[in-house]
Amino acid sequence: MPYHNPRQVKALHGYIHATKPDGLVIIGDFMDYAGPSRWNKDTRAEFENNVFKESELGKRILGDLRRGYDGPTDFIEGNHDANPRRYLTKHAPALAESNAFNVETLLDFDSHGINIIRGSLDIAPGWVAMHGHATGIRTVTQPGMSAVKLVDKLEKSVAIGHVHRLGLMPQTKGTTAKHSVRWGMEVGNVMDMRKAQYLGHVTANWQSGFGMLHVDGKRVRPELIPMDDNGSFIADGKVWS
């Protein structure tokens, strides 16, 4: 927010409200917070962007989500979500310990019943979710490959955001007698790229969509759901919009 695609967000909320998943993970970069970002330091944008105004929009969207879904919801802090907190820590450390500019405070997670996660989150047997920005790996443009790098590093199946791409890749390790398959999943975005003026006229290799994990005991089946610009998508054998 505020570079989201409202139609995609509305359709995604409708799907969550209708299907009531056992758990929901907002995987990071929910907010943009461009003003206090490192690339806008000492520019006009540092003063033109209003953290509180953006946060009010974020709270409204979280309110829309929670009005139809009260299940467990975790929010993994992304690098953009952390911009106000890190800016204050770096440039006004005497004020930073107030936590007033933490994303969970700005978006009032207590009222929305949302848990803040900094780092990784175990989400299913053999699976971990993270935003993907502070992992020490270099991201690549081929969808799924950045997540697979983390599979190799962590020796678990991994779901990440951060790269804005939609990709699902398996990784088989072991011997012919005993082997295992792990998955790298990149869960896409619900962003309107036309609002991202920093891209210029270049189309980024990003894809709209979201990810799901179907869990049956220790068995986990990952699934990616691509979304059209108008918000429509196919899931559970039917069209949602």
Side-chain angles (χ1 to χ4, degrees):
M1 320 298 167
Y3 302 140
H4 60 294
N5 182 322
R7 299 177 75 178
Q8 290 179 344
V9 171
K10 182 179 179 181
L12 180 57
H13 285 183
Y15 179 72
I16 293 168
H17 295 169
T19 59
K20 300 291 193 293
D22 295 320
L24 177 67
V25 178
I26 300 170
I27 206 160
D29 284 354
F30 180 83
M31 302 299 299
D32 185 64
Y33 288 139
S37 64
R38 58 183 172 82
W39 51 85
N40 280 335
K41 188 73 178 76
D42 298 324
T43 71
R44 285 181 58 186
E46 182 180 13
F47 303 94
E48 291 175 345
N49 290 272
N50 189 311
V51 166
F52 294 111
K53 184 177 179 180
E54 289 183 32
S55 296
E56 288 302 313
L57 171 62
K59 285 191 286 188
R60 286 200 301 273
I61 291 173
L62 286 179
D64 290 342
L65 169 67
R66 298 303 270 170
R67 268 187 284 277
Y69 175 74
D70 62 359
T73 301
D74 294 299
F75 184 113
I76 299 176
E77 183 185 59
N79 50 303
H80 286 259
D81 302 308
N83 277 338
R85 175 175 63 83
R86 293 188 300 189
Y87 180 95
L88 201 64
T89 299
K90 183 174 182 179
H91 300 290
L95 305 177
E97 62 185 41
S98 70
N99 297 328
F101 284 84
N102 288 11
V103 67
E104 66 269 28
T105 304
L106 290 168
L107 299 185
D108 196 9
F109 282 8
D110 286 344
S111 293
H112 292 111
I114 294 175
N115 304 311
I116 182 68
I117 305 293
R118 291 193 170 89
S120 62
L121 175 69
D122 292 331
I123 52 171
W127 275 82
V128 63
M130 60 182 64
H131 181 61
H133 63 298
T135 59
I137 66 160
R138 290 179 63 87
T139 59
V140 293
T141 57
Q142 183 178 350
M145 285 302 297
S146 299
V148 164
K149 285 185 175 184
L150 287 169
V151 171
D152 286 338
K153 182 177 180 178
L154 301 175
E155 297 185 347
K156 292 183 177 182
S157 293
V158 179
I160 64 170
H162 187 56
V163 295
H164 298 207
R165 288 182 271 277
L166 199 65
L168 182 62
M169 297 192 69
Q171 186 82 303
T172 303
K173 290 290 184 72
T175 65
T176 53
K178 186 177 182 180
H179 59 270
S180 61
V181 179
R182 298 187 177 103
W183 294 88
M185 182 164 73
E186 298 169 6
V187 300
N189 69 85
V190 286
M191 179 181 182
D192 185 345
M193 285 194 288
R194 293 169 299 182
K195 297 178 182 178
Q197 296 180 358
Y198 52 84
L199 291 176
H201 297 291
V202 178
T203 299
N205 188 21
W206 300 345
Q207 297 84 37
S208 298
F210 60 98
M212 291 198 292
L213 296 182
H214 303 271
V215 183
D216 178 20
K218 292 185 178 180
R219 182 172 56 183
V220 183
R221 178 173 67 85
E223 182 181 9
L224 292 178
I225 307 296
M227 302 183 77
D228 295 333
D229 286 344
N230 64 6
S232 66
F233 58 93
I234 299 173
D236 306 327
K238 62 179 286 188
V239 177
W240 301 78
S241 60

